[in-house]
Protein backbone atom coordinates (compact mmCIF):
# COMPACT_ATOMS: atom_id res chain seq x y z
CA UNK A 1 0.00 0.00 0.00
CA UNK A 2 2.88 2.39 -0.64
CA UNK A 3 0.78 4.32 -3.12
CA UNK A 4 -1.43 5.66 -0.31
CA UNK A 5 0.05 8.52 1.71
CA UNK A 6 -0.91 7.61 5.25
CA UNK A 7 0.87 6.25 8.26
CA UNK A 8 -2.05 6.50 10.68
CA UNK A 9 -4.81 4.47 9.08
CA UNK A 10 -5.21 0.71 8.99
CA UNK A 11 -4.21 -0.52 5.54
CA UNK A 12 -7.29 -2.76 5.36
CA UNK A 13 -9.55 0.31 5.61
CA UNK A 14 -7.62 2.05 2.84
CA UNK A 15 -7.80 -1.05 0.67
CA UNK A 16 -11.55 -1.35 1.31
CA UNK A 17 -12.02 2.30 0.34
CA UNK A 18 -10.11 1.68 -2.89
CA UNK A 19 -12.28 -1.24 -3.94
CA UNK A 20 -15.55 0.41 -2.95
CA UNK A 21 -14.69 3.33 -5.25
CA UNK A 22 -13.50 1.06 -8.06
CA UNK A 23 -16.69 -1.03 -7.97
CA UNK A 24 -18.90 2.05 -7.92
CA UNK A 25 -19.36 2.32 -11.74
CA UNK A 26 -20.86 -1.19 -11.86
CA UNK A 27 -23.13 -0.36 -8.92
CA UNK A 28 -24.52 2.65 -10.80
CA UNK A 29 -25.66 0.35 -13.60
CA UNK A 30 -27.10 -2.19 -11.15
CA UNK A 31 -29.52 0.38 -9.78
CA UNK A 32 -30.11 3.37 -7.46
CA UNK A 33 -29.92 1.35 -4.24
CA UNK A 34 -26.44 -0.08 -4.84
CA UNK A 35 -25.15 3.17 -6.33
CA UNK A 36 -26.27 5.14 -3.28
CA UNK A 37 -25.10 2.41 -0.88
CA UNK A 38 -21.56 2.34 -2.27
CA UNK A 39 -21.43 6.15 -2.34
CA UNK A 40 -22.44 6.19 1.34
CA UNK A 41 -19.89 3.50 2.25
CA UNK A 42 -17.18 5.46 0.43
CA UNK A 43 -18.19 8.59 2.34
CA UNK A 44 -18.17 6.82 5.72
CA UNK A 45 -14.77 5.26 5.03
CA UNK A 46 -13.46 8.70 4.05
CA UNK A 47 -14.77 10.21 7.29
CA UNK A 48 -13.16 7.40 9.30
CA UNK A 49 -9.82 7.72 7.46
CA UNK A 50 -9.63 11.50 7.86
CA UNK A 51 -10.75 11.36 11.51
CA UNK A 52 -8.21 8.66 12.37
CA UNK A 53 -5.38 10.52 10.66
CA UNK A 54 -6.60 13.93 11.95
CA UNK A 55 -6.66 15.17 8.38
CA UNK A 56 -9.19 18.03 8.20
CA UNK A 57 -7.82 19.58 5.02
CA UNK A 58 -10.54 18.28 2.71
CA UNK A 59 -13.40 19.62 4.84
CA UNK A 60 -12.08 23.18 4.44
CA UNK A 61 -13.04 23.36 0.78
CA UNK A 62 -15.07 26.52 0.15
CA UNK A 63 -17.47 24.73 -2.18
CA UNK A 64 -18.03 21.99 0.41
CA UNK A 65 -18.89 24.59 3.05
CA UNK A 66 -21.28 26.41 0.68
CA UNK A 67 -22.86 23.09 -0.27
CA UNK A 68 -23.50 22.25 3.39
CA UNK A 69 -25.15 25.63 3.95
CA UNK A 70 -27.37 24.92 0.93
CA UNK A 71 -28.21 21.47 2.34
CA UNK A 72 -29.16 23.08 5.66
CA UNK A 73 -31.47 25.39 3.74
CA UNK A 74 -33.08 22.36 2.03
CA UNK A 75 -33.91 20.97 5.47
CA UNK A 76 -35.46 24.29 6.50
CA UNK A 77 -37.49 24.31 3.28
CA UNK A 78 -38.72 20.79 4.11
CA UNK A 79 -39.72 21.83 7.62
CA UNK A 80 -41.75 24.71 6.18
CA UNK A 81 -43.58 22.42 3.73
CA UNK A 82 -47.09 21.01 4.19
CA UNK A 83 -45.64 17.52 4.82
CA UNK A 84 -42.27 17.94 6.58
CA UNK A 85 -41.60 14.24 7.19
CA UNK A 86 -42.20 13.32 3.56
CA UNK A 87 -40.08 16.21 2.30
CA UNK A 88 -37.23 15.43 4.71
CA UNK A 89 -36.84 12.03 3.05
CA UNK A 90 -35.19 13.91 0.19
CA UNK A 91 -33.36 16.70 2.03
CA UNK A 92 -32.25 15.43 5.43
CA UNK A 93 -29.24 13.41 4.24
CA UNK A 94 -28.51 15.24 0.99
CA UNK A 95 -25.18 16.40 2.47
CA UNK A 96 -23.90 12.85 1.94
CA UNK A 97 -23.16 13.65 -1.70
CA UNK A 98 -20.75 16.37 -0.63
CA UNK A 99 -18.90 13.82 1.49
CA UNK A 100 -18.96 11.44 -1.47
CA UNK A 101 -17.24 14.08 -3.64
CA UNK A 102 -14.62 14.61 -0.91
CA UNK A 103 -14.01 10.86 -0.69
CA UNK A 104 -13.26 10.77 -4.44
CA UNK A 105 -10.99 13.79 -4.10
CA UNK A 106 -9.09 12.07 -1.31
CA UNK A 107 -8.56 8.76 -3.07
CA UNK A 108 -7.69 10.30 -6.46
CA UNK A 109 -5.14 12.54 -4.79
CA UNK A 110 -3.55 9.92 -2.55
CA UNK A 111 -3.97 6.51 -4.19
CA UNK A 112 -2.51 6.19 -7.69
CA UNK A 113 -3.54 2.54 -7.96
CA UNK A 114 -7.14 3.45 -7.16
CA UNK A 115 -7.08 6.05 -9.91
CA UNK A 116 -5.79 3.46 -12.39
CA UNK A 117 -8.21 0.73 -11.28
CA UNK A 118 -11.17 3.12 -11.32
CA UNK A 119 -10.33 4.10 -14.91
CA UNK A 120 -10.07 0.45 -15.96
CA UNK A 121 -13.33 -0.35 -14.15
CA UNK A 122 -15.14 2.51 -15.87
CA UNK A 123 -13.67 1.54 -19.24
CA UNK A 124 -14.71 -2.11 -18.91
CA UNK A 125 -18.22 -1.05 -17.90
CA UNK A 126 -18.48 1.32 -20.85
CA UNK A 127 -17.33 -1.34 -23.30
CA UNK A 128 -19.81 -3.82 -21.86
CA UNK A 129 -22.67 -1.30 -22.06
CA UNK A 130 -21.77 -0.53 -25.68
CA UNK A 131 -21.59 -4.20 -26.63
CA UNK A 132 -24.90 -4.98 -24.93
CA UNK A 133 -26.60 -1.88 -26.36
CA UNK A 134 -25.69 -2.78 -29.93
CA UNK A 135 -26.62 -6.40 -29.28
CA UNK A 136 -30.08 -5.32 -28.13
CA UNK A 137 -30.54 -3.02 -31.13
CA UNK A 138 -29.68 -5.71 -33.67
CA UNK A 139 -31.23 -8.75 -31.98
CA UNK A 140 -34.15 -7.19 -30.14
CA UNK A 141 -33.00 -8.32 -26.66
CA UNK A 142 -30.12 -7.52 -24.33
CA UNK A 143 -28.00 -10.28 -22.81
CA UNK A 144 -30.55 -10.70 -19.97
CA UNK A 145 -33.51 -10.95 -22.32
CA UNK A 146 -34.85 -7.40 -21.93
CA UNK A 147 -36.58 -6.44 -25.22
CA UNK A 148 -35.94 -3.45 -27.44
CA UNK A 149 -39.07 -1.26 -27.57
CA UNK A 150 -39.56 -1.03 -31.33
CA UNK A 151 -42.79 0.96 -31.02
CA UNK A 152 -41.01 3.87 -29.32
CA UNK A 153 -37.50 3.22 -30.69
CA UNK A 154 -36.05 3.17 -27.14
CA UNK A 155 -33.11 1.08 -25.98
CA UNK A 156 -32.70 0.09 -22.35
CA UNK A 157 -29.49 -1.95 -22.46
CA UNK A 158 -28.52 -3.24 -19.02
CA UNK A 159 -30.89 -0.82 -17.26
CA UNK A 160 -33.89 -3.14 -17.40
CA UNK A 161 -37.14 -1.30 -18.06
CA UNK A 162 -35.57 2.14 -17.58
CA UNK A 163 -34.84 4.29 -20.65
CA UNK A 164 -31.68 5.80 -19.21
CA UNK A 165 -28.80 4.22 -21.12
CA UNK A 166 -28.42 7.31 -23.33
CA UNK A 167 -28.63 9.57 -20.29
CA UNK A 168 -25.94 7.59 -18.50
CA UNK A 169 -23.61 7.47 -21.50
CA UNK A 170 -23.95 11.16 -22.39
CA UNK A 171 -23.30 12.30 -18.81
CA UNK A 172 -20.40 9.97 -18.12
CA UNK A 173 -18.62 10.08 -21.50
CA UNK A 174 -16.75 13.31 -20.57
CA UNK A 175 -15.76 11.68 -17.27
CA UNK A 176 -14.38 8.62 -19.06
CA UNK A 177 -12.62 10.95 -21.51
CA UNK A 178 -10.94 12.68 -18.54
CA UNK A 179 -10.01 9.38 -16.88
CA UNK A 180 -8.37 8.01 -20.04
CA UNK A 181 -6.39 11.24 -20.53
CA UNK A 182 -5.44 11.13 -16.84
CA UNK A 183 -4.35 7.50 -16.76
CA UNK A 184 -2.84 6.79 -20.18
CA UNK A 185 -0.08 8.50 -22.13
CA UNK A 186 -0.82 10.41 -25.33
CA UNK A 187 -0.02 7.67 -27.83
CA UNK A 188 -1.42 5.99 -30.95
CA UNK A 189 -2.99 3.25 -28.82
CA UNK A 190 -4.71 5.79 -26.57
CA UNK A 191 -5.93 7.81 -29.55
CA UNK A 192 -7.27 4.66 -31.23
CA UNK A 193 -9.04 3.61 -28.02
CA UNK A 194 -10.50 7.10 -27.60
CA UNK A 195 -11.75 7.25 -31.19
CA UNK A 196 -13.42 3.85 -30.89
CA UNK A 197 -15.08 4.79 -27.61
CA UNK A 198 -16.30 8.16 -28.87
CA UNK A 199 -17.76 6.93 -32.17
CA UNK A 200 -19.39 3.87 -30.58
CA UNK A 201 -20.91 5.97 -27.79
CA UNK A 202 -22.12 8.74 -30.10
CA UNK A 203 -23.98 6.29 -32.32
CA UNK A 204 -25.44 4.26 -29.43
CA UNK A 205 -26.79 7.39 -27.72
CA UNK A 206 -28.59 8.17 -30.97
CA UNK A 207 -29.87 4.59 -31.19
CA UNK A 208 -31.15 4.85 -27.60
CA UNK A 209 -33.86 7.22 -28.79
CA UNK A 210 -33.21 9.63 -25.89
CA UNK A 211 -33.28 13.08 -27.42
CA UNK A 212 -32.23 14.97 -24.29
CA UNK A 213 -29.22 12.65 -24.00
CA UNK A 214 -28.30 13.30 -27.62
CA UNK A 215 -28.53 17.07 -27.04
CA UNK A 216 -26.23 16.68 -24.00
CA UNK A 217 -23.80 14.69 -26.14
CA UNK A 218 -23.67 17.42 -28.82
CA UNK A 219 -23.25 20.13 -26.18
CA UNK A 220 -20.39 18.29 -24.47
CA UNK A 221 -18.69 17.53 -27.79
CA UNK A 222 -18.80 21.18 -28.88
CA UNK A 223 -17.28 22.35 -25.59
CA UNK A 224 -14.44 19.82 -25.81
CA UNK A 225 -13.74 20.60 -29.47
CA UNK A 226 -13.59 24.34 -28.82
CA UNK A 227 -11.68 24.33 -25.53
CA UNK A 228 -9.42 21.26 -25.39
CA UNK A 229 -5.70 21.65 -25.93
CA UNK A 230 -4.60 18.30 -27.38
CA UNK A 231 -7.77 16.37 -28.14
CA UNK A 232 -9.89 18.77 -30.20
CA UNK A 233 -8.91 17.17 -33.55
CA UNK A 234 -9.66 13.66 -32.28
CA UNK A 235 -13.08 14.74 -31.00
CA UNK A 236 -13.87 16.68 -34.19
CA UNK A 237 -12.97 13.74 -36.44
CA UNK A 238 -14.95 11.25 -34.36
CA UNK A 239 -17.98 13.55 -34.31
CA UNK A 240 -17.88 13.84 -38.10
CA UNK A 241 -17.58 10.06 -38.53
CA UNK A 242 -20.37 9.50 -36.02
CA UNK A 243 -22.59 11.95 -37.90
CA UNK A 244 -22.05 10.04 -41.15
CA UNK A 245 -23.04 6.77 -39.45
CA UNK A 246 -26.06 8.43 -37.82
CA UNK A 247 -27.25 9.80 -41.17
CA UNK A 248 -26.96 6.32 -42.68
CA UNK A 249 -28.91 4.79 -39.76
CA UNK A 250 -31.62 7.47 -40.07
CA UNK A 251 -32.09 6.57 -43.73
CA UNK A 252 -32.48 2.87 -42.96
CA UNK A 253 -34.47 3.07 -39.67
CA UNK A 254 -37.65 5.07 -40.26
CA UNK A 255 -39.02 4.72 -36.71
CA UNK A 256 -35.81 5.99 -35.16
CA UNK A 257 -35.65 8.83 -37.67
CA UNK A 258 -39.24 9.78 -36.86
CA UNK A 259 -38.48 9.98 -33.13
CA UNK A 260 -35.05 11.59 -33.25
CA UNK A 261 -35.46 13.94 -36.22
CA UNK A 262 -39.08 14.44 -37.27
CA UNK A 263 -40.53 14.71 -33.75
CA UNK A 264 -37.62 16.87 -32.66
CA UNK A 265 -38.34 19.49 -35.33
CA UNK A 266 -42.08 19.33 -34.65
CA UNK A 267 -41.68 19.75 -30.88
CA UNK A 268 -38.79 22.21 -30.69
CA UNK A 269 -39.90 25.41 -28.99
CA UNK A 270 -38.61 28.95 -29.36
CA UNK A 271 -35.89 28.37 -26.76
CA UNK A 272 -34.27 25.80 -28.99
CA UNK A 273 -34.99 22.75 -26.85
CA UNK A 274 -37.25 19.79 -27.43
CA UNK A 275 -40.23 19.29 -25.14
CA UNK A 276 -43.18 16.96 -25.55
CA UNK A 277 -46.69 18.01 -24.43
CA UNK A 278 -46.53 16.36 -21.00
CA UNK A 279 -43.27 18.20 -20.27
CA UNK A 280 -44.96 21.54 -20.95
CA UNK A 281 -47.80 20.63 -18.60
CA UNK A 282 -45.28 19.65 -15.93
CA UNK A 283 -43.43 22.94 -16.44
CA UNK A 284 -46.65 24.91 -16.03
CA UNK A 285 -47.52 23.04 -12.85
CA UNK A 286 -44.04 23.63 -11.39
CA UNK A 287 -44.12 27.32 -12.30
CA UNK A 288 -47.48 27.78 -10.56
CA UNK A 289 -46.02 26.16 -7.43
CA UNK A 290 -43.14 28.62 -7.61
CA UNK A 291 -45.54 31.57 -7.92
CA UNK A 292 -47.38 30.40 -4.80
CA UNK A 293 -44.17 30.11 -2.77
CA UNK A 294 -41.43 32.06 -4.59
CA UNK A 295 -38.97 32.46 -1.71
CA UNK A 296 -38.87 29.07 0.06
CA UNK A 297 -40.67 26.80 -2.39
CA UNK A 298 -43.14 24.05 -1.51
CA UNK A 299 -40.40 21.77 -0.15
CA UNK A 300 -38.06 19.15 -1.67
CA UNK A 301 -39.90 16.10 -3.06
CA UNK A 302 -43.27 17.88 -2.68
CA UNK A 303 -44.01 18.33 -6.39
CA UNK A 304 -45.35 14.78 -6.61
CA UNK A 305 -47.70 15.34 -3.68
CA UNK A 306 -49.06 18.75 -4.73
CA UNK A 307 -49.37 18.33 -8.51
CA UNK A 308 -52.83 16.77 -8.07
CA UNK A 309 -54.24 19.96 -6.54
CA UNK A 310 -56.59 21.88 -8.78
CA UNK A 311 -54.33 24.94 -9.15
CA UNK A 312 -51.42 22.79 -10.33
CA UNK A 313 -53.21 20.13 -12.33
CA UNK A 314 -53.52 20.43 -16.12
CA UNK A 315 -54.58 18.05 -18.85
CA UNK A 316 -54.11 17.97 -22.60
CA UNK A 317 -55.32 15.02 -24.66
CA UNK A 318 -53.81 11.94 -22.93
CA UNK A 319 -51.23 13.94 -20.95
CA UNK A 320 -51.41 15.47 -17.48
CA UNK A 321 -49.18 17.55 -15.25
CA UNK A 322 -48.46 15.02 -12.50
CA UNK A 323 -45.21 13.11 -12.07
CA UNK A 324 -42.54 12.55 -9.44
CA UNK A 325 -40.74 15.67 -10.70
CA UNK A 326 -41.22 18.30 -13.44
CA UNK A 327 -38.39 16.99 -15.67
CA UNK A 328 -36.50 20.29 -15.57
CA UNK A 329 -33.89 20.95 -12.90
CA UNK A 330 -34.35 24.70 -12.52
CA UNK A 331 -38.15 24.55 -12.55
CA UNK A 332 -38.00 21.75 -9.98
CA UNK A 333 -35.68 23.83 -7.80
CA UNK A 334 -37.86 26.94 -8.17
CA UNK A 335 -41.00 24.99 -7.29
CA UNK A 336 -39.57 22.93 -4.43
CA UNK A 337 -36.88 25.21 -2.96
CA UNK A 338 -37.81 28.69 -4.20
CA UNK A 339 -35.42 31.43 -5.20
CA UNK A 340 -33.22 30.89 -2.14
CA UNK A 341 -32.58 27.27 -3.14
CA UNK A 342 -32.24 27.92 -6.86
CA UNK A 343 -29.89 30.92 -6.94
CA UNK A 344 -26.81 29.00 -5.64
CA UNK A 345 -27.21 26.47 -8.47
CA UNK A 346 -27.59 29.30 -11.01
CA UNK A 347 -24.49 31.02 -9.64
CA UNK A 348 -22.55 27.74 -9.90
CA UNK A 349 -23.56 27.40 -13.55
CA UNK A 350 -22.52 31.01 -14.24
CA UNK A 351 -19.20 30.57 -12.39
CA UNK A 352 -18.25 27.46 -14.36
CA UNK A 353 -19.33 29.12 -17.61
CA UNK A 354 -17.08 32.09 -16.84
CA UNK A 355 -14.15 29.76 -16.10
CA UNK A 356 -14.60 28.09 -19.49
CA UNK A 357 -15.04 31.44 -21.27
CA UNK A 358 -11.88 32.80 -19.65
CA UNK A 359 -9.98 29.72 -20.81
CA UNK A 360 -11.33 30.24 -24.35
CA UNK A 361 -10.28 33.91 -24.40
CA UNK A 362 -6.77 33.06 -23.22
CA UNK A 363 -6.50 30.47 -26.00
CA UNK A 364 -7.57 33.04 -28.61
CA UNK A 365 -4.95 35.54 -27.50
CA UNK A 366 -2.35 32.81 -27.02
CA UNK A 367 -1.89 33.68 -23.35
CA UNK A 368 -1.60 30.04 -22.40
CA UNK A 369 -4.42 27.73 -21.25
CA UNK A 370 -5.64 27.93 -17.67
CA UNK A 371 -7.31 24.51 -17.74
CA UNK A 372 -5.94 21.08 -18.59
CA UNK A 373 -7.82 18.75 -20.93
CA UNK A 374 -8.75 16.67 -17.89
CA UNK A 375 -10.34 19.67 -16.19
CA UNK A 376 -12.15 20.71 -19.39
CA UNK A 377 -13.74 17.27 -19.68
CA UNK A 378 -14.81 17.27 -16.02
CA UNK A 379 -16.20 20.80 -16.24
CA UNK A 380 -18.06 19.67 -19.36
CA UNK A 381 -19.71 16.85 -17.39
CA UNK A 382 -20.85 19.39 -14.78
CA UNK A 383 -22.11 21.86 -17.40
CA UNK A 384 -24.22 19.08 -18.95
CA UNK A 385 -25.83 18.58 -15.54
CA UNK A 386 -26.48 22.30 -15.06
CA UNK A 387 -27.49 23.12 -18.64
CA UNK A 388 -30.81 25.01 -18.37
CA UNK A 389 -32.25 24.17 -21.82
CA UNK A 390 -32.72 20.46 -21.43
CA UNK A 391 -35.09 18.08 -19.71
CA UNK A 392 -33.69 16.18 -16.75
CA UNK A 393 -34.40 13.45 -14.27
CA UNK A 394 -35.20 14.14 -10.61
CA UNK A 395 -32.64 16.67 -9.34
CA UNK A 396 -32.72 15.11 -5.87
CA UNK A 397 -32.75 11.48 -7.04
CA UNK A 398 -30.02 9.37 -5.46
CA UNK A 399 -29.03 7.65 -8.74
CA UNK A 400 -28.56 10.95 -10.56
CA UNK A 401 -26.72 12.59 -7.68
CA UNK A 402 -24.09 9.86 -7.63
CA UNK A 403 -23.48 10.63 -11.32
CA UNK A 404 -23.67 14.40 -10.70
CA UNK A 405 -21.00 14.35 -7.99
CA UNK A 406 -18.58 11.95 -9.71
CA UNK A 407 -16.88 14.63 -11.85
CA UNK A 408 -16.90 17.12 -8.97
CA UNK A 409 -14.85 14.86 -6.70
CA UNK A 410 -12.38 13.99 -9.45
CA UNK A 411 -12.13 17.67 -10.47
CA UNK A 412 -11.18 18.66 -6.91
CA UNK A 413 -8.19 16.32 -7.10
CA UNK A 414 -6.82 18.14 -10.18
CA UNK A 415 -6.26 21.34 -8.22
CA UNK A 416 -3.27 21.46 -5.89
CA UNK A 417 -5.13 23.51 -3.31
CA UNK A 418 -8.58 22.11 -3.95
CA UNK A 419 -11.54 24.35 -4.69
Amino acid sequence: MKSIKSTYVNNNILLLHRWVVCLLPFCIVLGPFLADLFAIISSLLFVYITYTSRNWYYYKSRLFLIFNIWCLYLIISSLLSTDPLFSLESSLLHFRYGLFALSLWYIFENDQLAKKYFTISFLILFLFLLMDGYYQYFTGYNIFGSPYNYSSSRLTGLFGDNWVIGNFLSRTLPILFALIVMSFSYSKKTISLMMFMLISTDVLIYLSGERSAFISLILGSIIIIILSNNWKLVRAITLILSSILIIFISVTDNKLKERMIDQTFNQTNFLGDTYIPDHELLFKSAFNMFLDSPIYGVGPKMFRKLCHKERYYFEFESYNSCSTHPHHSYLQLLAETGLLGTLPVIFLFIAISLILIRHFIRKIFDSGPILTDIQICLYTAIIITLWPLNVNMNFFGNWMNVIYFLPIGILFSTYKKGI
Side-chain angles (χ1 to χ4, degrees), residues 79-295:
L79 293 174
L80 295 174
S81 71
T82 57
D83 192 341
L85 291 179
F86 182 78
S87 183
L88 283 170
E89 291 176 6
S90 179
S91 62
L92 186 60
L93 298 178
H94 197 74
F95 69 90
R96 68 188 185 273
Y97 298 113
L99 288 174
F100 170 59
L102 294 189
S103 74
L104 292 174
W105 175 14
Y106 173 84
I107 202 161
F108 268 76
E109 187 173 66
N110 295 290
D111 190 345
Q112 295 303 312
L113 279 178
K115 185 189 301 185
K116 180 180 178 181
Y117 292 162
F118 184 81
T119 302
I120 294 172
S121 173
F122 221 118
L123 183 58
I124 292 173
L125 173 66
F126 234 77
L127 290 171
F128 193 66
L129 282 173
L130 292 173
M131 178 191 70
D132 180 75
Y134 282 107
Y135 181 80
Q136 185 182 45
Y137 178 75
F138 287 111
T139 68
Y141 296 88
N142 72 1
I143 60 172
F144 296 114
S146 181
Y148 172 40
N149 192 326
Y150 287 101
S151 62
S152 63
S153 297
R154 305 288 294 273
L155 287 173
T156 57
L158 295 176
F159 293 92
D161 296 328
N162 299 313
W163 293 329
V164 296
I165 184 172
N167 202 310
F168 175 83
L169 292 174
S170 64
R171 293 180 184 278
T172 57
L173 181 61
I175 302 174
L176 179 63
F177 203 143
L179 290 170
I180 292 175
V181 174
M182 182 187 296
S183 303
F184 300 104
S185 60
Y186 189 86
S187 63
K188 290 182 179 179
K189 289 184 179 181
T190 304
I191 293 173
S192 299
L193 172 64
M194 193 76 82
M195 293 185 72
F196 171 78
M197 291 294 303
L198 290 170
I199 295 172
S200 301
T201 306
D202 291 348
V203 175
L204 188 61
I205 290 173
Y206 183 80
L207 294 177
S208 74
E210 296 176 47
R211 289 175 292 177
S212 61
F214 193 66
I215 292 170
S216 296
L217 171 72
I218 298 301
L219 171 65
S221 301
I222 291 172
I223 294 174
I224 291 173
I225 289 171
I226 293 175
L227 299 182
S228 66
N229 306 306
N230 300 317
W231 292 92
K232 62 172 71 229
L233 184 59
V234 170
R235 189 58 186 120
I237 291 173
T238 54
L239 190 60
I240 292 171
L241 294 175
S242 299
S243 299
I244 294 171
L245 290 172
I246 287 170
I247 292 171
F248 175 77
I249 291 169
S250 299
V251 172
T252 58
D253 190 332
N254 289 329
K255 286 188 177 180
L256 188 61
K257 172 182 173 293
E258 181 182 354
R259 173 173 176 78
M260 295 298 288
I261 299 177
D262 298 342
Q263 290 184 17
T264 298
F265 280 110
N266 292 335
Q267 297 172 351
T268 298
N269 65 10
F270 71 96
L271 291 175
D273 203 357
T274 304
Y275 304 124
I276 58 178
D278 64 327
H279 287 158
E280 295 182 359
L281 296 177
L282 291 167
F283 297 168
K284 188 176 181 180
S285 179
F287 189 68
N288 278 1
M289 288 185 195
F290 164 67
L291 292 179
D292 283 351
S293 185
I295 305 301

Side-chain angles (χ1 to χ4, degrees), residues 285-286 289 301-307 321 323 325-326 336:
S285 179
M289 288 185 195
K301 202 179 178 181
M302 290 300 294
F303 179 87
R304 69 190 70 189
K305 292 208 78 173
L306 299 178
C307 63
S321 60
S323 180
H325 58 96
E336 296 188 341

